Amino acid sequence: MGIRAAVVVCVTSFLLGSLFTHWIADSLTLWKSPTTDQNIWTAATYYSIIANGPAQIQYAVAAIVLLGVTTILWSLRDGRAGNLMFDGGSIFLFCTTIWMYSYSVLPYIFNLFKHLPPHPSTDAVPQELRSAIFDLASNNLICSVALTGVLGLQAGRFWAESADDDDEIESLKATPAPSRPKTPQLE
């Protein structure tokens, strides 16, 4: 596996880990039935903490995303058939994740949760906030599945390249070594 593929796998794994931390909030809304107001307030509080977190964390994540996109595009530029297929699919899924997160997740987090009013967990949740939390959980799940697809495509690329290398080694073994011309011996 080349250095570029290793960087893509590491960046994608980091971003998946970042998305998995949202499980604290998302599990309370997507995977619990019935979803109580207390669960939704807990998720809202979690997203409020993220919205009010240090900006340096957001810059670091943005830099990591940029590293991932740059690396995939660099690998795609090689023009080899394997790169076009596997890296083309990877860039599509990676960019889909970036687009979804930029236009469907971050605006909700920073617009609705930046100034979340104090509340007891027994208060009824406003419908706008309830819808936003369910949308956030769904979008986080979609982004996680897309990034898992990137890892799958990179694993497929590794497997295809290693199979090509194995075929090349087998063909070299099957080819007889060129014979040396016999030199006349002096008697």
Side-chain angles (χ1 to χ4, degrees):
M1 178 159 75
I3 193 102
R4 290 179 287 193
V7 169
V8 171
V9 168
C10 288
V11 166
T12 304
S13 298
F14 173 82
L15 295 174
L16 267 172
S18 297
L19 285 170
F20 289 158
T21 61
H22 299 322
W23 183 252
I24 295 165
D26 297 346
S27 67
L28 298 173
T29 55
L30 286 182
W31 308 106
K32 298 266 184 188
S33 182
T35 304
T36 64
D37 285 339
Q38 181 179 5
N39 290 352
I40 294 177
W41 279 123
T42 302
T45 303
Y46 170 79
Y47 286 119
S48 177
I49 291 168
I50 289 177
N52 293 305
Q56 292 84 354
I57 293 174
Q58 297 158 18
Y59 296 140
V61 171
I64 291 169
V65 168
L66 184 62
L67 174 66
V69 168
T70 303
T71 305
I72 292 175
L73 287 173
W74 180 23
S75 185
L76 186 64
R77 188 181 61 87
D78 286 349
R80 292 187 358 225
N83 286 354
L84 293 175
M85 182 174 66
F86 293 112
D87 288 338
S90 293
I91 196 69
F92 174 78
L93 290 173
F94 205 85
C95 287
T96 299
T97 302
I98 293 169
W99 180 83
M100 169 136 334
Y101 211 76
S102 298
Y103 292 102
S104 298
V105 174
L106 293 177
Y108 273 140
I109 290 175
F110 291 114
N111 292 335
L112 293 175
F113 299 102
K114 189 76 169 170
H115 305 289
L116 190 66
H119 56 278
S121 61
T122 56
D123 283 355
V125 179
Q127 186 57 38
E128 179 185 27
L129 195 59
R130 179 181 293 273
S131 296
I133 288 174
F134 280 106
D135 287 345
L136 280 171
S138 298
N139 291 335
N140 284 333
L141 183 62
I142 291 168
C143 290
S144 295
V145 169
L147 289 175
T148 302
V150 171
L151 288 179
L153 285 168
Q154 292 301 310
R157 176 183 171 193
F158 174 72
W159 178 78
E161 287 178 355
S162 66
D164 286 346
D165 291 344
D166 291 345
D167 290 344
E168 207 171 287
I169 290 170
E170 289 299 318
S171 69
L172 289 175
K173 286 181 181 177
T175 306
S179 61
R180 293 186 192 180
K182 293 185 179 182
T183 56
Q185 297 203 0
L186 298 173
E187 292 179 17

